[in-house]
Amino acid sequence: MNTASVTIILLYVAAGLLSLLLAPLYVTNQLTLFENPENPINILYLMFSVVVVFIIVLIIVKLRLEILFKGLFYFSTFTVLTITISIILPDSLIWLAVSVLASVSILILLNRFYKWYVADTVGVFLSASIAAWFGASLTPPVLTILLALMAVYDYLAVKSGGMASLAEKTLKMNLPTMVMSPVKEMPKDFKAGNGGRKGAFLGLGDMAFPNMLTVSTFLGTCNPVAAILVLSGSVTGLIVVLYVVHRFKRPQPGLPYIGLGAAVGWIVSKFLV
């Protein structure tokens, strides 16, 4: 296994562990998304939202409205950053202002100084925040079904070329939609060059969705061992997909592998913990 793959695995594990630390804060501050986390109808809302957002983004990119797309992404990122930072800090207006200022500073840093380590740091924090938020809002059975549906969606999106095209667009716009291995120059596409790929990449969705199950398992069992089993399963799936990418030299859907690994880890935890 090369250095690029090891880097991606370490970043994934860091996001998973950070999401476990953040999740109780979301619960304590009553920031869960659904009143009934066991309701499978929640899946329909989420899938509908994901598909609609993906279509809207493709249309925006197709119409070359990059400024609009960048603005929407920055607004969403600002919202997640501010909420997460605010629940870490003490509860007061002053600290809320600090959260807002910190979020704005991070976005300015991304826009003015876009390097792989900056994008990775922000990407890990964003994916961990999203995983903690949704993981605290849904039960493991519901999330397992969601992972299965998202795996199908991811497979179709990648195989159609839409996901890879969108990812390349976000690279050119300096948006942290993925984590990447250390590179001398920020890549603008996923084409092979100089006998190999330009580093290794993993989308934030591929990190966030499986770790939602890790978080939900931890909160549902209050047992870190069960959560580690789910995290270990998803890491196993990640190792497999990184091998497949290296073997075939082209982008692959991550969720069918990583999500399956997480689901298997959850099933194993039901019997062992």
Side-chain angles (χ1 to χ4, degrees):
M1 185 175 294
N2 57 30
T3 303
S5 297
V6 172
T7 300
I8 295 299
I9 293 171
L10 291 176
L11 289 171
Y12 181 90
V13 172
L17 296 177
L18 180 57
S19 67
L20 292 176
L21 295 176
L22 293 174
L25 298 177
Y26 277 95
V27 175
T28 301
N29 287 274
Q30 298 181 339
L31 288 174
T32 53
L33 296 169
F34 304 103
E35 293 184 4
N36 183 5
E38 299 180 355
N39 190 349
I41 299 299
N42 296 334
I43 298 174
L44 298 180
Y45 293 137
L46 289 174
M47 285 302 302
F48 178 77
S49 300
V50 168
V51 173
V52 169
V53 169
F54 182 66
I55 293 174
I56 291 175
V57 168
L58 285 180
I59 293 174
I60 291 175
V61 173
K62 191 71 174 180
L63 296 176
R64 300 182 183 277
L65 300 174
E66 283 86 358
I67 295 179
L68 176 59
F69 176 61
K70 200 168 186 176
L72 291 173
F73 182 88
Y74 274 179
F75 176 76
S76 301
T77 301
F78 169 79
T79 302
V80 174
L81 288 175
T82 301
I83 291 175
T84 303
I85 295 173
S86 67
I87 64 176
I88 295 174
L89 299 176
D91 184 15
S92 72
L93 288 177
I94 294 177
W95 287 110
L96 178 59
V98 171
S99 303
V100 172
L101 181 61
S103 300
V104 172
S105 300
I106 291 171
L107 293 178
I108 293 175
L109 180 65
L110 276 172
N111 191 52
R112 298 291 182 87
F113 192 72
Y114 188 76
K115 300 294 183 180
W116 67 267
Y117 45 87
V118 176
D120 284 356
T121 302
V122 176
V124 166
F125 190 78
L126 277 177
S127 63
S129 300
I130 295 170
W133 200 353
F134 282 83
S137 304
L138 297 167
T139 60
V142 171
L143 279 170
T144 301
I145 298 173
L146 177 62
L147 277 176
L149 294 176
M150 286 301 301
V152 174
Y153 160 80
D154 193 33
Y155 175 83
L156 295 176
V158 172
K159 292 303 180 181
S160 68
M163 188 66 76
S165 176
L166 180 59
E168 289 183 352
K169 291 287 186 182
T170 62
L171 278 176
K172 294 175 182 177
M173 287 187 280
N174 294 346
L175 299 178
T177 59
M178 63 191 76
V179 295
M180 63 193 78
S181 60
V183 289
K184 292 182 179 179
E185 293 184 8
M186 294 301 293
K188 298 301 181 183
D189 56 49
F190 301 115
K191 297 182 176 67
N194 299 323
R197 292 177 57 79
K198 298 178 180 178
F201 305 84
L202 184 67
L204 297 193
D206 296 328
M207 297 176 69
F209 278 101
N211 277 324
M212 291 176 194
L213 184 56
T214 302
V215 168
S216 183
T217 301
F218 172 67
L219 294 177
T221 61
C222 296
N223 191 327
V225 175
I228 294 302
L229 285 173
V230 178
L231 181 60
S232 299
S234 61
V235 169
T236 302
L238 175 58
I239 293 173
V240 172
V241 73
L242 287 172
Y243 170 78
V244 174
V245 169
H246 179 75
R247 175 71 174 80
F248 294 99
K249 308 295 183 185
R250 61 174 180 266
Q252 299 290 328
L255 284 180
Y257 301 90
I258 307 172
L260 175 61
V264 171
W266 174 66
I267 293 172
V268 171
S269 73
K270 297 289 286 183
F271 289 98
L272 298 183
V273 178

